[in-house]
Amino acid sequence: MPALEQMNQILHVLFVFLPFLWALGTLPPPDALFLWAMEQILEFGLGGSSMSTHLRLLVMFIMSAGTAITSYFIPSTVGVVLFMTGFGFLLSLNLSDVGHKIGTKSKNLPSGPEKHFSWKECLFYIIILVFALLETGLLHHFAGFSQISKGSSQAIVGYGLMILLIILWILREIQSVYIIGIFRNPFYPKDVQTVTVFFEKQTRLLKIGIVRRILLTLVSPFAMIAFLSLDSSLQGLHSVSVSIGFTRAFRMVWQNTENALLETVIVSTVHLISSADIWWNRNLDTGIRLLLVGIIRDRLIRFISKLQFAMTVLLTSWTEKKQRRKTTATLCILNIVFSPFVLVIVIFSTLLSSPLLPLFTLPVFLVGFPRPIQSWPGAAGTTACVCADTVYYYQMVPRLTAVLQTAMAAGSLGLLLPGSHYLGRFQDRLIWIMILECGYTYCYINIKGLELQETSCHTAEARRVDEVFEDAFEQEYTGVCSLNEHFGNVLTPCTVLPVKLYSDARNVLSGIIDSHENLKEFKGDLVKVLVWILVQYCSKRPGMKENVRNTENKGKAPLILPASNTSPPPKSPEDIDSLNSETFDDWSDDNIFDDEPTIKKVIEEKHQLKDLPGTNLFIPGSVESQRVGDHSTGTVPENDLYKAVLLGYPAVDKGKQEDMPYIPLMEFSCSHSHLVCLPAEWRTSCMPNSKMKEMSSLFPEDWYQFVLRQLECFHSEEKASNVLEEIANDKVLKDFYVHTVMTCYFSFFGIDNMAPSPGHILRVYSGVLPWSVALDWLTEKPELFQLALKAFRYTLKLMIDKASLGPIEDFRELIKYLEEYECDWYIGLVSDEKWKEAILQEKPYLFSLGYDSNMGIQQMNTNLFKKIC
């Protein structure tokens, strides 16, 4: 057979060049060649799209090929048309799930959002399918068939398609900042910094986008179906060309409506303006014409893109100083001399749809091996690098996806094609968006968050991106139609998308955190914040509502609990005040601050051990609780209760008796006091009674009563005020709060109650507390420790707000501040897990305190993250 002989000769020549192609990297590996061939056949031969995964590509290829083969054996022309229309519509849908598949998954974060079919979408698609089948069947059965002529019904539909194409192109270009990438769009907002004006004009453009969406998804497909149904080529059954060509045509109507509309208009126009005797009209049916036009369209776009890329590499290798080398001039001359050969390489790369590779970024071009669009193994995002910035991108992705869906529907991002890339920019963050798959009303995208500008190269690249965006969106244009100053740049600005995300604002606290007046107020405010946080915690504990109901039903029930401020047992006339923290060398302002500080505990202390009367030997600096002796039912000896908790202290001078802590029995004066009472383990004592009495004078009793009166934990409002008044006047309950609050206060500042330094505040904010007797007591209660640390951080934020916004007038305003911190803020460290949780919960504000060693200890930075559009 002559055909086999010619194929034999061609293959012999090809086999000779295989080693050469392998050495240049043009010869693809078998798996890439197989997937690339399937993708090309699916896209150009069967009317499908590049798929987001290899499995989807294989399944879609088999289903699409089966549809084309089956249509060949259907005997009825009406049956063929209905079959092609129905399966073309169904295969263009995303039957597995509708929406966007986000490629930013990691093991530490939940999976990205996925959207599935709803009953409304199912009903919408069923209605579209029914109307498409009705239109196709009726037109094909009742309308007469004739060649395309100026007076035929198919030509009239073709004229309508031309008008529709022009309208859709105009509506798409209006959505973008530049028309054809050259001229400034006069309808686009001139200055995006004016948010109100921008949103008003953006809303108008979105209304135009809705019109375009209706024309694109409803009007255009039905118009093209009408054009195809009236074609006379469908009368030639059992033809391979008809089965392949029209299967692709009826699929493209839904799969890629804009490209299908362009191809149909080109075929219709060529047929109208040319004579009927030419080869194009005589030997090819409409389906094959559409197929050839589609291939030519795709390869022409790729050729222009690759030629522009080659010219860009050639020019920048000379104009950019960092890319200029000694051999650059020689290579540029060689490219000009051998420009026909370079052009052949570009054409060869275009025909294979393979990458054009500049060797070592030099203007020496090679043809890469053909590969599918998804050239990486596994699903998108499986190899993503998880770092501290990942959580910000993850919070951004769902909202960005929703906004991208609107922008794509409106046409703001131009013509959507699989393999297209988009770059998003906000402050120091970059988003890389790649389109993997497109279909009828759906699009698969891969979103990647790029690393921040931590090197000079990254900073220079990001600055160049910023220049392009600033000239497009922030520069004021006086003329009606201005030109794009960066025309020909690989980056063509498209639009601005309003997305809610976190903005990083860093402020220096010099003059605030080192002010003596602010530091004095800080100590007083800390006690108030501690009281408020503990009262709020106790009133909102789990099961508190049930206790409230039980108490309201049962009435008054006396409750016997220990207190810590009654007449003590006999003691020495001198109190032991040998505790201080000024001798600890590891607690100095000259320490280096770690990024993730931990609580430093004193493990060993060289003190003389003293066997106290009635106790066992204990290690100073550690907590040692004495178990109450086992007793049968009856009265518990009071002396045993006094010795319920005993903490270690430094050695006591000989001849002196220690002022022992004690916990006598007391009774609440209000039956409802237990509803806001502190947990029993928090009421243990660790400080000498004399020191507790001395520091109790700092407790703000009026603030404590005001906070209790503001509680809302009772259902009946009439009784609430009376009950809260009784709770506020309960002295035993107040003594518990005095003991716990002042012990926490002592753990922050030490027993000397000295004014804190900026370094002290930073360390405690970071969770590194100075050693004291109360430290071990506090760290053994993790929940109380976290509440106390939270109060400290709230107080620091309060100090900054007072220095910035002015003093607080009354208690009500202070409560408003604290409630705002509780609801709308997360105040902590960037390295905390709760920081990530707050970002995923989309707390409106995040606050952290840091230290810059280059600026000095008194110039500390606050990172304020605010969720903005």
Side-chain angles (χ1 to χ4, degrees):
M1 296 179 62
L4 292 179
E5 291 180 358
Q6 293 178 359
M7 183 64 67
N8 184 31
Q9 295 173 359
I10 293 173
L11 290 178
H12 272 81
V13 175
L14 180 63
F15 289 157
V16 172
F17 284 95
L18 286 181
F20 178 71
L21 295 176
W22 176 81
L24 294 178
T26 307
L27 192 65
D31 56 344
L33 178 63
F34 178 70
L35 294 172
W36 170 81
M38 277 201 306
E39 187 176 84
Q40 295 295 307
I41 296 173
L42 176 63
E43 184 174 355
F44 300 107
L46 301 173
S49 167
S50 303
M51 308 305 289
S52 58
T53 63
H54 299 329
L55 180 61
R56 287 175 63 89
L57 175 62
L58 179 62
V59 172
M60 186 57 68
F61 177 80
I62 294 173
M63 294 176 64
S64 301
T67 302
I69 294 172
T70 305
S71 66
Y72 178 80
F73 295 99
I74 298 177
S76 171
T77 57
V78 176
V80 170
V81 172
L82 293 177
F83 180 81
M84 290 178 177
T85 303
F87 271 88
F89 176 76
L90 292 176
L91 292 177
S92 66
L93 298 176
N94 186 17
L95 298 177
S96 58
D97 49 36
V98 177
H100 303 275
K101 193 161 183 91
I102 309 304
T104 55
K105 297 180 183 178
S106 66
K107 297 180 180 179
N108 299 331
L109 297 172
S111 60
E114 292 186 359
K115 181 182 175 184
H116 300 274
F117 274 120
S118 64
W119 67 271
K120 292 182 180 180
E121 289 174 317
C122 289
L123 182 61
F124 171 75
Y125 293 136
I126 291 173
I127 293 173
I128 294 294
L129 178 60
V130 170
F131 275 99
L133 293 175
L134 285 174
E135 180 192 10
T136 305
L138 292 175
L139 288 175
H140 186 77
H141 183 72
F142 293 104
F145 298 99
S146 62
Q147 293 292 334
I148 300 178
S149 61
K150 295 181 180 180
S152 65
S153 55
Q154 190 178 17
I156 295 173
V157 176
Y159 291 135
L161 292 176
M162 295 177 193
I163 297 173
L164 197 57
L165 177 65
I166 296 172
I167 294 174
L168 286 174
W169 180 82
I170 293 173
L171 295 180
R172 186 185 68 196
E173 293 297 325
I174 287 176
Q175 299 293 325
S176 182
V177 65
Y178 289 117
I179 297 175
I180 326 178
I182 303 176
F183 304 102
R184 171 79 185 190
N185 183 5
F187 300 99
Y188 198 85
K190 293 184 179 179
D191 187 6
V192 298
Q193 300 298 322
T194 310
V195 180
T196 307
V197 178
F198 171 76
F199 276 114
E200 289 179 0
K201 294 188 177 181
Q202 189 80 356
T203 305
R204 298 173 191 170
L205 292 177
L206 289 178
K207 292 178 181 178
I208 299 175
I210 294 173
V211 176
R212 178 185 177 275
R213 183 66 169 173
I214 294 173
L215 293 176
L216 186 63
T217 58
L218 296 178
V219 179
S220 297
F222 285 98
M224 284 186 286
I225 286 176
F227 180 86
L228 295 174
S229 301
L230 294 172
D231 193 82
S232 60
S233 302
L234 290 171
Q235 298 300 316
L237 289 178
H238 305 294
S239 171
V240 175
S241 62
V242 171
S243 297
I244 294 176
F246 279 92
T247 299
R248 176 192 178 277
F250 278 103
R251 171 80 175 274
M252 281 285 292
V253 164
W254 309 101
Q255 187 81 47
N256 197 334
T257 308
E258 288 189 81
N259 285 337
L261 183 59
L262 176 63
E263 295 167 9
T264 307
V265 168
I266 292 174
V267 169
S268 177
T269 304
V270 170
H271 199 94
L272 287 172
I273 65 176
S274 62
S275 63
D277 295 332
I278 63 173
W279 170 82
W280 176 267
N281 294 333
R282 185 180 64 255
N283 296 335
L284 300 178
D285 57 68
T286 304
I288 297 299
R289 293 176 205 154
L290 291 171
L291 188 150
L292 293 177
V293 170
I295 295 176
I296 294 172
R297 173 195 54 79
D298 179 81
R299 292 305 188 257
L300 183 60
I301 293 174
R302 291 182 183 274
F303 174 75
I304 295 173
S305 175
K306 293 179 185 297
L307 189 61
Q308 181 186 5
F309 170 72
M311 293 298 297
T312 302
V313 173
L314 184 62
L315 292 176
T316 55
S317 63
W318 177 258
T319 57
E320 296 290 335
K321 292 182 179 180
K322 292 186 177 180
Q323 292 184 234
R324 191 184 304 167
R325 300 176 177 88
K326 296 180 180 179
T327 58
T328 301
T330 305
L331 292 174
C332 290
I333 295 173
L334 290 176
N335 274 274
I336 295 173
V337 173
F338 295 98
S339 56
F341 181 74
V342 175
L343 189 61
V344 169
I345 293 177
V346 174
I347 294 174
F348 186 57
S349 173
T350 301
L351 293 176
L352 292 178
S353 184
S354 58
L356 185 65
L357 177 65
L359 188 63
F360 303 114
T361 69
L362 295 171
V364 179
F365 300 102
L366 301 176
V367 179
F369 65 86
R371 67 198 71 186
I373 288 181
Q374 194 215 345
S375 57
W376 54 87
T382 53
T383 58
C385 177
V386 179
C387 60
D389 302 316
T390 303
V391 66
Y392 299 109
Y393 291 106
Y394 188 80
Q395 177 273 330
M396 184 197 313
V397 162
R399 295 187 176 275
L400 177 62
T401 304
V403 175
L404 279 174
Q405 185 176 5
T406 304
M408 290 176 177
S412 301
L413 302 183
L415 185 62
L416 299 178
L417 295 173
S420 300
H421 296 268
Y422 295 91
L423 188 68
R425 174 72 169 161
F426 175 75
Q427 287 188 349
D428 57 351
R429 296 172 201 157
L430 284 170
I431 288 286
W432 191 275
I433 303 170
M434 180 180 179
I435 297 180
L436 302 176
E437 177 184 344
C438 287
Y440 186 65
T441 68
Y442 85 92
C443 180
Y444 268 67
I445 60 176
N446 179 27
I447 299 179
K448 300 177 182 179
L450 303 185
E451 56 186 342
L452 302 184
Q453 297 91 49
E454 298 180 356
T455 63
S456 59
C457 295
H458 295 167
T459 304
E461 294 166 357
R463 182 56 194 161
R464 183 61 175 167
V465 174
D466 290 338
E467 289 177 2
V468 176
F469 283 141
E470 287 172 3
D471 291 340
F473 300 115
E474 298 180 13
Q475 183 176 348
E476 295 185 1
Y477 292 89
T478 56
V480 179
C481 189
S482 304
L483 295 177
N484 180 10
E485 297 179 1
H486 301 278
F487 174 70
N489 194 295
V490 70
L491 296 177
T492 301
C494 294
T495 186
V496 174
L497 301 178
V499 184
K500 284 189 176 180
L501 43 79
Y502 285 96
S503 172
D504 185 4
R506 303 193 176 192
N507 303 313
V508 179
L509 296 184
S510 298
I512 298 178
I513 201 170
D514 52 359
S515 171
H516 294 290
E517 296 181 0
N518 292 340
L519 294 176
K520 287 181 181 179
E521 293 182 4
F522 178 87
K523 298 177 67 176
D525 291 337
L526 176 60
V527 181
K528 295 179 181 178
V529 178
L530 276 168
V531 170
W532 184 82
I533 285 183
L534 292 180
V535 170
Q536 293 295 320
Y537 169 82
C538 294
S539 64
K540 296 177 181 179
R541 276 182 296 173
M544 187 54 62
K545 294 183 178 179
E546 297 180 2
N547 294 334
V548 170
R549 294 194 189 104
N550 296 335
T551 306
E552 289 178 351
N553 295 333
K554 293 180 181 179
K556 187 173 182 179
L559 183 67
I560 300 212
L561 291 169
S564 62
N565 197 13
T566 57
S567 301
K571 62 174 184 172
S572 170
E574 295 183 39
D575 290 328
I576 308 302
D577 292 328
S578 60
L579 302 177
N580 60 73
S581 58
E582 61 187 8
T583 59
F584 293 93
D585 295 332
D586 61 343
W587 187 249
S588 65
D589 289 347
D590 297 330
N591 288 341
I592 298 175
F593 306 122
D594 296 331
D595 290 337
E596 296 184 0
T598 55
I599 301 171
K600 297 180 180 178
K601 295 185 178 180
V602 179
I603 299 176
E604 269 188 63
E605 292 290 340
K606 294 182 179 180
H607 289 296
Q608 181 181 0
L609 300 180
K610 182 178 180 64
D611 192 8
L612 298 179
T615 67
N616 296 326
L617 193 65
F618 63 94
I619 301 175
S622 64
V623 178
E624 192 168 346
S625 60
Q626 178 140 0
R627 182 177 60 85
V628 179
D630 295 334
H631 297 281
S632 59
T633 56
T635 305
V636 179
E638 191 174 358
N639 290 335
D640 287 345
L641 290 176
Y642 284 14
K643 296 183 291 183
V645 177
L646 185 65
L647 287 92
Y649 297 101
V652 180
D653 294 341
K654 189 174 182 181
K656 292 188 178 182
Q657 183 178 358
E658 186 177 359
D659 182 11
M660 296 296 297
Y662 59 94
I663 306 178
L665 296 177
M666 290 300 294
E667 180 179 346
F668 284 137
S669 61
C670 176
S671 60
H672 299 279
S673 295
H674 70 283
L675 299 176
V676 292
C677 185
L678 297 164
E681 61 272 15
W682 295 1
R683 302 194 296 265
T684 57
S685 177
C686 71
M687 295 178 60
N689 185 49
S690 59
K691 183 55 64 176
M692 180 58 69
K693 284 185 177 181
E694 177 184 341
M695 300 188 69
S696 297
S697 60
L698 302 175
F699 186 82
E701 186 173 351
D702 52 348
W703 165 255
Y704 163 78
Q705 294 180 353
F706 179 80
V707 171
L708 287 175
R709 294 189 182 103
Q710 302 299 315
L711 291 178
E712 298 178 357
C713 57
F714 295 94
H715 298 285
S716 56
E717 296 181 0
E718 298 178 357
K719 298 180 180 180
S721 59
N722 297 330
V723 172
L724 291 175
E725 187 67 28
E726 293 179 5
I727 294 176
N729 295 325
D730 193 329
K731 293 184 178 180
V732 176
L733 180 66
K734 187 200 74 172
D735 289 340
F736 287 157
Y737 274 94
V738 170
H739 164 262
T740 304
V741 169
M742 299 317 299
T743 305
C744 295
Y745 179 87
F746 167 71
S747 66
F748 287 139
F749 299 112
I751 201 168
D752 296 329
N753 194 24
M754 297 190 312
S757 64
H760 179 99
I761 289 180
L762 176 62
R763 281 187 289 264
V764 176
Y765 182 94
S766 303
V768 182
L769 275 64
W771 185 90
S772 64
V773 174
L775 176 61
D776 292 332
W777 176 87
L778 184 60
T779 53
E780 286 186 352
K781 303 163 182 61
E783 199 167 10
L784 178 59
F785 175 78
Q786 292 299 326
L787 291 173
L789 190 60
K790 178 181 177 181
F792 189 92
R793 292 170 175 174
Y794 279 16
T795 309
L796 176 63
K797 181 65 177 67
L798 183 64
M799 180 183 73
I800 297 173
D801 288 346
K802 288 168 63 177
S804 305
L805 305 176
I808 296 176
E809 297 180 357
D810 52 18
F811 287 163
R812 293 187 182 277
E813 186 178 358
L814 178 56
I815 284 186
K816 287 182 180 179
Y817 272 92
L818 298 178
E819 289 177 347
E820 182 185 353
Y821 297 161
E822 188 72 20
C823 298
D824 299 336
W825 288 75
Y826 176 76
I827 302 175
L829 297 175
V830 178
S831 58
D832 292 342
E833 284 298 323
K834 289 186 177 180
W835 181 277
K836 298 179 181 179
E837 295 175 5
I839 293 174
L840 297 179
Q841 294 170 3
E842 294 193 340
K843 282 274 189 181
Y845 304 95
L846 307 174
F847 176 90
S848 70
L849 183 68
Y851 172 76
D852 191 343
S853 58
N854 298 324
M855 300 175 66
I857 191 171
Q858 293 186 353
Q859 293 182 339
M860 301 176 188
N861 299 331
T862 59
N863 296 339
L864 175 61
F865 290 84
K866 181 180 179 182
K867 191 174 69 175
I868 65 171
C869 287

